[in-house]
Amino acid sequence: MATVIAATLGLAGAIAQNWINIGPEASVVSPTVTVTVTQTLAAEASPDPSRMVPLESSIPSVSPSSTSAPDPAVFWQGSVVVGYSRKDLDSSPPAMAGDNDGDLSIISGDIYASDDATIAFLLGRKIKPGYGECYELSMASGLEQVSDATPGWYCIRTSEGRVVALNIRSLAGGTFSGDVTIWDHTGVFN
C-alpha cells in the first residue's frame, strides 16, 4: 500500500507542477494539492476492485489557488457503439479506426484503451463526472485495460489528449453501447 501511495503522490506533484491556466494571459498558477487516502474492501471478487476507482477516491485533488480556466468546449457528444474494432474518439463523430489507430475496443468483456489512451472506471458512480474530475482520474488512475467491464461511468484520456466521460448503458455480444461527452482540449497537458 505504501508504494502505491508514494506513486500517487509523485504523479499529483507532476500534475500540480504542470497545471496551466489557459486564457489570453496564460500563466502558471500555484496549485494546492490535497491527498485523501481511503482503503475500500470489496466483498465480491468480480469485478476486480483493484482495476477501478472507488467513489471515495484515493486520487489527489489538484486545485489552482487562483481562478482556473473554464471547462473546454465540447468536441462531440452523443451515443457510441464499440466492439472489437477500435473506435477513434478523436474523430467527430467517433469512427472505426485503422489497425494502428483508435482509442477504445472491447474483447471478451474487457475494455482496452490503446495508442496511449487511458481509461478509469468510476465504481458506483450514478451521475456524470465533469471535465476536471475525468481529467484527474484518467491521468492518475487511467489504465490500459478494465477487466470484466460493467455498465457505469468511465473517464478516458484519448491518444490525442482529449478527455472523455463515457456512460456504458449495455454490454452484449462483444460490443457495448453508451453515451459520451468528449471535451476539445488537446496538446496542453501532453
Side-chain angles (χ1 to χ4, degrees):
M1 184 72 175
T3 303
V4 173
I5 293 171
T8 302
L9 290 172
L11 183 55
I15 292 170
Q17 290 174 0
N18 293 315
W19 196 265
I20 299 173
N21 183 8
I22 306 301
E25 301 172 17
S27 62
V28 176
V29 295
S30 175
T32 301
V33 177
T34 305
V35 177
T36 304
V37 177
T38 304
Q39 183 174 7
T40 305
L41 301 175
E44 299 178 25
S46 180
D48 182 3
S50 68
R51 304 202 62 84
M52 298 176 221
V53 178
L55 267 180
E56 294 185 86
S57 175
S58 60
I59 306 305
S61 173
V62 180
S63 307
S65 60
S66 63
T67 304
S68 62
D71 287 353
V74 171
F75 173 71
W76 191 85
Q77 187 169 354
S79 296
V80 295
V81 175
V82 176
Y84 178 77
S85 296
R86 294 180 187 177
K87 185 71 78 169
D88 184 2
L89 300 176
D90 290 310
S91 296
S92 179
M96 193 167 73
D99 290 339
N100 296 321
D101 273 334
D103 300 297
L104 221 49
S105 63
I106 184 166
I107 303 170
S108 301
D110 298 343
I111 298 176
Y112 291 89
S114 51
D115 198 26
D116 295 326
T118 60
I119 184 168
F121 179 52
L122 284 66
L123 178 64
R125 182 64 178 250
K126 301 291 183 210
I127 59 171
K128 177 181 172 181
Y131 167 81
E133 184 177 10
C134 266
Y135 170 77
E136 287 182 23
L137 291 171
S138 64
M139 291 295 289
S141 294
L143 304 168
E144 292 179 359
Q145 176 185 352
V146 174
S147 299
D148 301 320
T150 60
W153 284 102
Y154 294 78
C155 289
I156 300 162
R157 183 171 183 267
T158 70
S159 58
E160 292 182 17
R162 288 186 174 90
V163 175
V164 179
L166 164 67
N167 183 23
I168 294 180
R169 289 182 274 110
S170 65
L171 294 116
T175 64
F176 70 79
S177 61
D179 301 308
V180 295
T181 299
I182 304 169
W183 287 278
D184 192 16
H185 195 76
T186 59
V188 176
F189 296 108
N190 289 337

